[in-house]
Amino acid sequence: MSLLTPTVKVCSWTQELDNPASLATYVAHGGYQALRRIVTEKVSGDDIIAELKTSALRGRGGAGFPTGLKWSFMPRAFPGDKYIVCNSDEGEPGTFKDRDILRYNPHQLIEGMAIAGYVLGAKVGYNYIHGEIFEIYQIFERALEEARAAGYLGDNLFGTDFCFQLHAHHGYGAYICGEETALLESIEGKKGQPRFKPPFPASFGLYGKPTTINNTETLASVPWIMQHGGQAFLELGKPNNGGAKLFSVSGHVNKPGNYEVGLGTPFSELLEMAGGVRNGHKLKAVIPGGSSAPVLPGHVMMDCTMDFDSIAKAGSMLGSGAVIVMDETTCMVRALERLSYFYFEESCGQCTPCREGTGWMYRVIHRIEHGQGRAEDLDLLNSVASRIGGHTICALGDAAAMPVQSFLKHFGDEFAYHVEHKRCMV
Amino acid sequence: MLSSQSLAAIDAEVVKYPADQKQSAVMAALRIAQTEKGWLTPELVEYVAHHLDMPPIAAFEVATFYNMYDTRPVGRHKITLCTNLPCLLMGAGELGEHLKKKLGIEFGQTTDDGRYTLKEGECMGACGDAPMCLHNNHTMHTQLTPEKVDALLDKLK
């Protein structure tokens, strides 16, 4: 397999090769050809953006925003400094796909960022890497050195006047930095607290300069699209949900891991690829898009296809494509207690509803789990959650509220049982 | 206050950023300082701030905001166990109890001999390999079992 084969393994094709992360492997299989062609033939940025729009590539970090449209927001003709930033701060519980791109296919990301730099007029890019994966950060740093030495990064690339330099920035433990403006603050050497928007990063981003921020998988998909065309990418998925996507399947399955499939693949097929529910147990619940996405009962998920529209219709979000599978032995109160603790721990403290509300929700769920729940607690939880969602600067507030609301909606009887009987029903 | 290797490593970080944005290197500089010294004393944070021409308070803000920095003493071996949901589903709860019992400490504590510190961590972004822990922030150990944890602890003198 190579980058030249138009298969569904858009980002994961190197995994079966020897030395998948090396420049030699990437170049031997078609790597950096798209960048070379674009730069030496001086392909217009408008044409590249049009191709991305045709591909229907939507942001792979969670929001699903159309990438071509996002790139078109950038004031490309603005004469000063501009930046392209990659968000590899992958800390959404359940998500571990970007880690595999960085460790098995770092050059496809580098090529994608260089193409982005060319289109957006950015001479410098940064890749912000999640703090807990230091070994992966080192792999990426080595890939950058290889790319610089081989002339794929630096000044006057391929003998043209195009210059692009790329650096890795290592985080150090803050989920909130996955929020794009918190990430920018963090690169600036500050606390990772999200900024008010507007102004949006395209006009006021890193160091106050126009900046485009995309997820790792999004940027790594760009060379494939430039190689095979937007239409070919679109056809890997379904209309409005172009392309293939890495799904991180974790929890109660026999073979947890990343599976790259076309958008629109039935959930049942994905579950089968992951070896099915462990030990022949029954499927109870699935969080289809990372911990912030509303949980769905297993039988609802079995009727879904894995794409933005189908999961949204079922009442949740495709998010980052992190599929957390829970079998019949799972106590939903315990599961929600842990997620609530996470949002409490990771709230940056800037907005009162989130700072206070996440702790409040955690304490209430904690007492339900520990046999001290009160009859009014379920209403209280819904009330607190509804007062956080939509009332904060960034989406962490909503991300904290949605699990609570969805767990209560679909598994409310389990919570009620805990309150009444002071113990678990599973 | 820091070795010449650490200072060289910090300088290699500084050049990643525009010349007037040295503060951008503070996260890496604090990481490098902590790796050499074990934990970030107030003096060390101030030293890093001066090295980067930034106000000490701004460096303290960073050191206390990101949870992998230690602004209090830790043992020689800091074990951070992820207990978030995907890890929990794969047995991280039992693993945490095993570690606490074996070391005789709770999360957030250090053994009396200063050998181990145990911390509860948040998502490390490797949930397909759950459950997992980090050793001294930079080395990840995955697909843990009580036996694997015991073997790891024995190795860490």
Side-chain angles (χ1 to χ4, degrees), chain A residues 28-329:
Chain A
H29 293 81
Y32 290 110
Q33 284 185 12
L35 176 66
R36 181 189 299 271
R37 178 178 62 81
I38 288 166
V39 173
T40 53
E41 294 176 11
K42 301 200 187 308
V43 176
S44 92
D46 287 332
D47 288 350
I48 294 171
I49 288 177
E51 205 64 51
L52 286 180
K53 286 182 175 169
T54 303
S55 77
L57 173 64
R58 292 170 63 172
R60 302 305 197 217
F65 194 82
T67 305
L69 189 59
K70 188 185 252 190
W71 284 21
S72 72
F73 292 156
M74 193 75 163
R76 287 177 282 146
F78 174 81
D81 293 335
K82 296 181 282 293
Y83 294 100
I84 171 76
V85 172
C86 175
N87 185 345
S88 299
D89 190 24
E90 186 177 48
E92 170 92 357
T95 317
F96 49 93
K97 64 189 178 65
D98 298 336
R99 171 175 175 254
D100 274 2
I101 293 174
L102 295 174
R103 69 172 166 166
Y104 296 130
N105 199 2
H107 286 286
Q108 196 166 322
L109 173 62
I110 295 170
E111 184 179 2
M113 289 191 73
I115 294 171
Y118 172 86
V119 174
L120 303 171
K123 291 191 179 64
V124 179
Y126 292 99
N127 182 19
Y128 190 104
I129 299 176
H130 191 48
E132 283 82 350
I133 53 171
F134 184 72
E135 293 145 304
I136 310 290
Y137 162 76
Q138 290 178 310
I139 291 173
F140 191 73
E141 282 279 24
R142 280 198 293 277
L144 287 176
E145 277 166 28
E146 278 187 308
R148 286 179 196 127
Y152 296 114
L153 289 175
D155 291 338
N156 303 108
L157 298 180
F158 312 110
T160 69
D161 58 358
F162 174 58
C163 308
F164 184 71
Q165 193 50 270
L166 178 57
H167 300 287
H169 183 102
H170 183 227
Y172 226 54
Y175 167 67
I176 190 62
C177 291
E179 198 280 343
E180 61 181 14
T181 59
L183 185 150
L184 295 178
E185 290 285 301
S186 188
I187 296 181
E188 292 181 4
K190 300 170 187 164
K191 289 186 288 185
Q193 292 192 318
R195 299 174 181 171
F196 272 108
K197 289 188 272 190
F200 289 94
S203 49
F204 189 93
L206 183 62
Y207 309 124
K209 306 295 182 187
T211 302
T212 295
I213 304 150
N214 288 123
N215 167 259
T216 315
E217 187 184 357
T218 311
L219 286 164
S221 299
V222 170
W224 194 102
I225 294 169
M226 293 303 121
Q227 192 69 249
H228 303 290
Q231 189 61 31
F233 187 79
L234 175 67
E235 285 165 8
L236 294 177
K238 63 185 231 189
N240 197 35
N241 296 267
K245 166 106 191 66
L246 279 161
F247 288 99
S248 305
V249 186
S250 67
H252 293 155
V253 291
N254 285 312
K255 288 192 294 178
N258 283 313
Y259 298 91
E260 191 167 30
V261 296
L263 284 174
T265 300
F267 169 73
S268 55
E269 269 180 40
L270 181 66
L271 184 62
E272 210 175 292
M273 290 171 87
V277 181
R278 64 165 184 185
N279 305 331
H281 285 176
K282 261 174 46 192
L283 180 66
K284 179 171 184 175
V286 178
I287 302 178
S291 66
S292 309
V295 68
L296 291 173
H299 66 88
V300 173
M301 271 310 289
M302 290 305 275
D303 292 334
C304 285
T305 56
M306 297 307 291
D307 55 83
F308 294 98
D309 297 339
S310 169
I311 301 289
K313 209 171 140 202
S316 186
M317 305 185 315
L318 191 72
S320 55
V323 181
I324 306 174
V325 176
M326 291 173 268
D327 72 12
E328 61 200 316
T329 67

Side-chain angles (χ1 to χ4, degrees), chain A residues 91 94 96 99 126 130-131 134-135 137 141 167-169 172-173 186-187 189-190 192 207 251-252 338 342 346, chain B residues 13 16-17 21 23-24 27 31 62 65-69 83-84 89-90 122-123 125 127-129 138 140:
Chain A
F96 49 93
R99 171 175 175 254
Y126 292 99
H130 191 48
F134 184 72
E135 293 145 304
Y137 162 76
E141 282 279 24
H167 300 287
H169 183 102
Y172 226 54
S186 188
I187 296 181
K190 300 170 187 164
Y207 309 124
H252 293 155
R338 187 58 186 85
F342 169 67
E346 297 295 334
Chain B
E13 293 289 335
K16 290 179 177 177
Y17 308 97
Q21 301 289 347
Q23 181 171 339
S24 282
M27 291 188 67
R31 184 227 319 144
V62 170
F65 185 86
Y66 298 90
N67 63 29
M68 290 165 70
Y69 297 116
T83 60
N84 210 309
L89 294 173
M90 298 302 274
E122 290 303 341
C123 187
C127 322
D129 296 328
H138 294 166
M140 187 178 280

